[in-house]
Amino acid sequence: MKINLKLNSLCFFALLLGKGHERIDFTRSKIKYINVLIFIKKKILIMWTNTSKNSQSSQYFVLSLFVAVIFFALLGCTEKIVDGNNQHRSWEDYGGSPDQSKYVDLNQIDKFNVKELEVAWFYPTGDNKAYQFSPIIVDNQMFVLAKNNSLVALNASTGEEIWIHANLTGIARRGINYWESKDGRDKRLIFQINDYLQAIDATTGKSILAFGENGLVDLKKGLGRDPNSLVRVQSGSPGKIFEDLLLLGSSTGESYMSTPGHLRAFNVVTGKLEWTFHTIPQPGEYGYETWPKDAHKYVGGVNCWGEISLDIERGIAYYPLGSPTFDYYGADRIGSNLYGNCILALDARTGKRIWHFQTVHHDLWDYDLSAAPQLITVNHNGKEIDAVAVAAKNGFLFVFNRVTGEPLWPIEERPVPSSKVVGEEAWPTQPFPTVVPPISRQEITKEDLSIIFLTEKEREEWKLKLDSIPSGLYTPLSDKTETLAMPGPVGGVNWGMTAANPTEGTVFVISINWPSVYDKLLTLDQLQNRSTKVPVSTGNSVIYQQNCASCHGVNRTGLVGPSLIDIEQSMQFNDFSQVLISGRGDMPSFSHLRDEEIKELYDFLADQSRNQSEGRGKNTSEIPLGPVVAVGGASGGLEKRTIVREGGRYGAPYPDGVKVDHGRMYLDEWGLHAPYIINPPWSEIMAFDLNKGEIKWKRSLGEDSEANKLGFKNTGVMRSTRNGMIVTSTGLVFSTSKDGNIYAFDADNGEELWSSKLPAATQGLPAMYEENNRQYLVIPAMAGPLKFGRGGNTLATDKDSDPQGGYIVYALPID
């Protein structure tokens, strides 16, 4: 009896110790912790009965053993029973943490002192590439991409280089993954490059050749199609680490016969494929009946190219999935097309489906899900519910119970317009959330037409156009006339543009109002005939005008795509050729171009740049200066991949035995050339209180300098994709903006509390971390020139002193 009382007293002491332990959120973890204590107590009682009860030394031995076991159990169990909130005290993941909330529980920077932030250090990239990379920070090391796509380890407190793994051409643009073994001896960086997986030792910077086959895992294998026929697979997003698995999506292209978007998990130590989920169901799998027979043999897409979110306590992964291909005409995929445009919850360990919800049926508008699903806890109808909120390109925010998939508020299936194109069968209804307001504008009226950048004559012309062409949400494209879509295919909301305070039920969203004016759908004959008749502007090649100008601009300064000025200084011909053939990120494949045409295009771009800026830039084949420990990754990983380019841009023929009733139709471009036709705001940041299902506050994000000159304020910025946020436990929301500033807003009301001008534009996600008792904010600012106004004008700069992009790190002054 005495020993039982003593053990109970020690258990109570251990409970207090656990409750006060800084690494355990005791509210969520106490059941697991108590079970550990009960188990230890039972074992000690058994030992007690096997010792001499009259021996005082035995009694002291057993009690001391119990105290020691409790102590070591406390230390050893913290990682296993740590609450999800602990993930918010570091930035070891792309997006900050497994849940992708971009939330940090750090308290040094707050609403009162944020205005004192100053530059602590700056690391220049050493080149003029437009990086989208998002840094991660582990054990006072920051891993960044710089110096001709080299992975660089920096001292996170000073910016000093630790090691450089040089010239990793073709590495996934947005980020990498960090993993370490339980004993902390094996620390590795895992990333995609040239459609392979590779691993690097995070301590030494050298390739791990025991990973995969001589350091390579071929991502083109295991997809049910000839690997040599697959134009591209790797995603720009890095995937997500869960336990010893890398959960990975893909970027598949958007043409007919694109790569299928299987979801896969690879072992982080061996590279072995552990499980696969078919997003285009195969015979016998759930959802197969939502497609034509054998659709899995030829339909592509339905891929996760965006941001995966993890509930690490439950082991559930939430995937935002894209649309099937071809994106704008679906006569060869009649049906609702599961799992296209779904939020999909999978068991992260096995890949088994838990639940799904389709946000767009039979997508004809490229309304992918790409932004990170936000995992929050809300008070809903008097109950605490763990929820997931999904922001979509179509301007809707969907909110579900994250365990069951049940919507928190009703989602109604409402009738939408039918298609008038022969062979197409648009789905008759689409899901509309109730209660929760839209994120962005979903229509254009005559009153919305711009009074800033349209002349009065142009306004009248657009008014007539609005009366004469199809428009409105879910209006299918036409083969007879133009179609106006609002939002267009970039959103709404795109990757990187969601964040949350997970425990308060608040979700933060950056949205853009960017219409798309689609030209009519074309048959293959019409498309090819049009390509031979494209007018060529002075100084532009026919190849460039036909294939590149719609995204990169007639003058190569960039529109939807980046500037191609000085392309020869930032990309060698072999790299350029690989990108043209395979595509990259939002850029489609141009595998229909012959090798001699690609060379002609490259020479044209190089000649134009030399005419404008003789001698600028560096030879990107050189090994950069600094502590280089390795070059080029695992052997063979940079070799040009063989691609069978049958069909090229227009898509390979359907497989033998597959019958499709109607021919293919095509879209020449995405119609994103006219964002200026609507009044501002063009970009906005907002906070949703999802305890109530309402917008807490909303404001414009950034300023358009050309509109400001005309007297207009609070405009937001046009073409404002690729922004990122950080939310802090001290009530701040940091956000990048396409006007070249980083802003800090009050999370409660949206008031601007601080801003700072960046040395260059930004496209990657910002990060926040704490080292040596100092809290840092790092912004990747190396994304080329800023673009403003109707024509995407760049700010005038001295051509001989272009600003050097890099990673700019802020902190509070040291007392």
Side-chain angles (χ1 to χ4, degrees):
M1 182 69 178
K2 291 182 179 180
I3 181 61
N4 197 52
L5 289 173
K6 291 180 179 180
L7 291 175
N8 286 339
S9 298
L10 286 171
C11 283
F12 179 72
F13 169 75
L15 286 172
L16 293 178
L17 185 62
K19 190 171 185 177
H21 198 285
E22 65 178 3
R23 295 186 68 192
I24 297 178
D25 186 320
F26 194 73
T27 303
R28 297 242 181 160
S29 301
K30 63 183 178 182
I31 295 176
K32 299 177 184 178
Y33 188 61
I34 290 170
N35 287 338
V36 171
L37 294 179
I38 292 173
F39 174 78
I40 295 174
K41 176 184 171 184
K42 288 180 179 178
K43 293 296 183 183
I44 294 295
L45 284 173
I46 292 173
M47 292 179 61
W48 178 265
T49 59
N50 293 328
T51 60
S52 171
K53 294 182 180 181
N54 296 322
S55 169
Q56 189 175 30
S57 61
S58 296
Q59 181 178 1
Y60 284 140
F61 169 76
V62 173
L63 291 177
S64 299
L65 179 64
F66 184 46
V67 172
V69 170
I70 288 175
F71 176 75
F72 286 109
L74 175 63
L75 293 181
C77 290
T78 51
E79 287 301 321
K80 295 181 185 293
I81 64 179
V82 68
D83 174 61
N85 285 336
N86 188 63
Q87 65 185 298
H88 302 127
R89 297 193 59 81
S90 62
W91 204 278
E92 297 181 4
D93 284 64
Y94 172 86
S97 53
D99 68 358
Q100 286 274 19
S101 63
K102 290 90 173 174
Y103 175 82
V104 291
D105 187 11
L106 301 173
N107 57 22
Q108 192 175 99
I109 301 172
D110 57 33
K111 296 180 184 180
F112 303 100
N113 61 24
V114 65
K115 61 182 178 293
E116 300 173 18
L117 283 175
E118 62 182 21
V119 176
W121 55 267
F122 175 71
Y123 179 74
T125 61
D127 56 28
N128 58 354
K129 291 181 180 293
Y131 293 101
Q132 292 181 6
F133 194 80
S134 304
I136 58 175
I137 300 93
V138 184
D139 296 334
N140 201 31
Q141 288 190 89
M142 180 187 297
F143 300 101
V144 302
L145 199 62
K147 297 185 173 182
N148 187 39
N149 286 307
S150 302
L151 271 179
V152 184
L154 304 174
N155 182 305
S157 300
T158 65
E160 179 184 2
E161 293 177 342
I162 300 171
W163 56 254
I164 299 173
H165 192 126
N167 301 353
L168 292 167
T169 303
I171 190 170
R173 296 169 301 147
R174 297 186 194 119
I176 59 176
N177 301 283
Y178 174 81
W179 173 89
E180 69 175 57
S181 59
K182 292 180 181 179
D183 61 9
R185 295 180 180 177
D186 186 357
K187 301 178 180 181
R188 53 182 65 191
L189 306 173
I190 305 171
F191 53 90
Q192 303 163 85
I193 178 171
N194 198 19
D195 292 313
Y196 291 109
L197 282 180
Q198 292 195 35
I200 282 178
D201 187 306
T203 303
T204 67
K206 297 181 179 180
S207 295
I208 300 175
L209 300 183
F211 180 76
E213 297 182 12
N214 298 318
L216 300 175
V217 174
D218 192 342
L219 295 175
K220 290 191 173 184
K221 293 182 177 179
L223 294 172
R225 300 190 189 169
D226 178 4
N228 290 332
S229 72
L230 301 178
V231 173
R232 63 177 180 179
V233 176
Q234 83 177 33
S235 172
S237 300
K240 215 67 177 169
I241 296 290
F242 177 71
E243 297 179 348
D244 292 343
L245 298 175
L246 169 60
L247 311 183
L248 198 61
S250 61
S251 184
T252 63
E254 299 180 339
S255 65
Y256 293 98
M257 288 293 295
S258 292
T259 307
H262 296 359
L263 306 176
R264 296 184 285 181
F266 296 87
N267 186 286
V268 296
V269 177
T270 66
K272 176 186 175 185
L273 176 64
E274 298 289 355
W275 59 254
T276 301
F277 182 90
H278 299 133
T279 57
I280 305 169
Q282 301 187 4
E285 294 178 338
Y286 185 92
Y288 180 73
E289 71 285 351
T290 67
W291 299 85
K293 181 177 181 293
D294 293 331
H296 66 285
K297 295 181 179 180
Y298 62 87
V299 172
V302 194
N303 54 309
C304 182
W305 62 270
E307 303 164 317
I308 304 166
S309 300
L310 271 170
D311 182 331
I312 57 174
E313 290 187 332
R314 294 183 174 93
I316 301 177
Y318 299 89
Y319 293 83
L321 297 182
S323 61
T325 60
F326 175 58
D327 294 70
Y328 300 100
Y329 179 69
D332 65 348
R333 54 178 174 88
I334 298 301
S336 61
N337 302 156
L338 288 180
Y339 294 89
N341 308 81
C342 281
I343 169 67
L344 176 65
L346 298 184
D347 184 312
R349 296 182 179 90
T350 66
K352 302 297 183 185
R353 181 180 65 91
I354 298 173
W355 62 265
H356 72 275
F357 184 88
Q358 189 173 46
T359 60
V360 181
H361 311 308
H362 190 74
D363 185 9
L364 298 172
W365 308 272
D366 194 16
Y367 283 154
D368 296 342
L369 294 178
S370 60
Q374 292 301 317
L375 310 183
I376 53 175
T377 300
V378 299
N379 189 312
H380 184 74
N381 294 332
K383 296 181 180 179
E384 188 177 270
I385 293 177
D386 286 343
V388 56
V390 185
K393 280 188 188 179
N394 59 14
F396 285 125
L397 183 66
F398 298 86
V399 189
F400 307 95
N401 181 308
R402 88 170 79 140
V403 178
T404 66
E406 179 184 2
L408 265 61
W409 294 279
I411 299 175
E412 299 177 351
E413 288 286 337
R414 298 177 184 171
V416 293
S418 61
S419 175
K420 304 297 191 298
V421 181
V422 174
E424 183 59 87
E425 296 180 18
W427 200 256
T429 63
Q430 294 292 349
F432 285 73
T434 62
V435 179
V436 182
I439 293 165
S440 63
R441 283 183 268 182
Q442 294 174 313
E443 65 174 354
I444 296 181
T445 66
K446 295 177 182 179
E447 289 71 28
D448 295 321
L449 292 173
S450 177
I451 60 172
I452 303 177
F453 294 129
L454 291 179
T455 66
E456 191 58 39
K457 179 182 178 181
E458 288 173 326
R459 280 173 55 83
E460 292 304 314
E461 290 172 348
W462 276 102
K463 287 179 181 179
L464 293 174
K465 181 170 285 192
L466 288 177
D467 286 334
S468 62
I469 67 173
S471 65
L473 189 62
Y474 295 128
T475 298
L477 275 65
S478 169
D479 59 347
K480 302 293 191 302
T481 183
E482 292 178 305
T483 306
L484 195 152
M486 185 72 193
V490 295
V493 176
N494 218 304
W495 64 269
M497 297 165 68
T498 58
N501 184 319
T503 59
E504 292 187 358
T506 307
V507 169
F508 300 90
V509 175
I510 296 172
S511 75
I512 52 179
N513 295 304
W514 190 342
S516 192
V517 186
Y518 294 113
D519 203 346
K520 62 183 181 180
L521 290 168
L522 304 170
T523 66
L524 180 57
D525 288 343
Q526 289 171 329
L527 182 64
Q528 292 176 325
N529 185 54
R530 169 181 287 196
S531 296
T532 64
K533 296 181 179 180
V534 173
V536 181
S537 301
T538 302
N540 271 321
S541 76
V542 174
I543 297 174
Y544 179 84
Q545 193 73 3
Q546 290 175 349
N547 296 278
C548 313
S550 62
C551 289
H552 297 281
V554 173
N555 297 318
R556 298 164 289 110
T557 56
L559 292 174
V560 182
S563 169
L564 297 181
I565 293 175
D566 291 338
I567 186 68
E568 87 288 358
Q569 303 295 344
S570 60
M571 185 177 290
Q572 294 178 284
F573 172 72
N574 286 342
D575 305 332
F576 178 84
S577 177
Q578 187 68 35
V579 170
L580 262 289
I581 293 170
S582 302
R584 178 177 292 177
D586 299 332
M587 176 180 162
S589 162
F590 291 88
S591 57
H592 64 289
L593 293 177
R594 300 187 304 275
D595 290 341
E596 57 268 26
E597 291 176 316
I598 295 174
K599 183 65 166 64
E600 180 183 332
L601 177 59
Y602 185 79
D603 289 344
F604 159 74
L605 292 171
D607 288 343
Q608 293 297 307
S609 295
R610 279 192 290 270
N611 290 339
Q612 293 183 4
S613 52
E614 187 70 32
R616 295 172 59 200
K618 299 180 180 179
N619 184 347
T620 60
S621 65
E622 295 178 354
I623 297 176
L625 298 176
V628 175
V629 297
V631 178
S635 178
L638 299 186
E639 293 180 4
K640 190 173 180 179
R641 306 293 295 268
T642 298
I643 300 175
V644 179
R645 289 183 274 173
E646 186 178 11
R649 175 185 181 186
Y650 311 110
Y654 292 111
D656 292 340
V658 171
K659 184 179 183 300
V660 177
D661 292 333
H662 295 278
R664 297 172 176 178
M665 300 203 77
Y666 300 83
L667 189 66
D668 204 17
E669 57 184 63
W670 296 347
L672 294 169
H673 55 278
Y676 56 84
I677 66 172
I678 60 170
N679 280 317
W682 295 299
S683 61
E684 298 175 285
I685 183 171
M686 61 199 73
F688 282 82
D689 181 351
L690 294 181
N691 300 288
K692 302 176 181 177
E694 62 186 28
I695 294 177
K696 190 174 182 179
W697 55 262
K698 178 166 64 173
R699 59 172 295 146
S700 58
L701 178 60
E703 292 286 351
D704 184 284
S705 64
E706 296 296 310
N708 288 170
K709 292 175 184 177
L710 298 173
F712 296 91
K713 301 294 183 183
N714 302 317
T715 63
V717 184
M718 282 188 280
R719 310 169 185 88
S720 194
T721 59
R722 300 168 185 168
N723 289 309
M725 289 178 283
I726 294 171
V727 182
T728 75
S729 58
T730 56
L732 294 170
V733 180
F734 291 91
S735 178
T736 60
S737 169
K738 282 298 179 291
D739 65 357
N741 288 300
I742 173 70
Y743 293 94
F745 301 109
D746 188 318
D748 292 324
N749 56 32
E751 178 187 355
E752 182 183 323
L753 301 177
W754 171 79
S755 69
S756 179
K757 192 71 176 176
L758 301 171
T762 179
Q763 292 185 5
L765 302 183
M768 184 168 277
Y769 61 100
E770 188 174 72
E771 293 292 348
N772 299 321
N773 298 315
R774 197 177 188 198
Q775 186 175 342
Y776 296 92
L777 166 68
V778 55
I779 311 295
M782 54 269 183
L786 304 170
K787 300 181 179 68
F788 298 105
R790 171 171 176 162
N793 301 324
T794 59
L795 290 177
T797 59
D798 182 351
K799 291 183 178 181
D800 296 324
S801 59
D802 286 347
Q804 172 61 68
Y807 299 85
I808 183 167
V809 181
Y810 296 90
L812 293 173
I814 298 176
D815 294 332

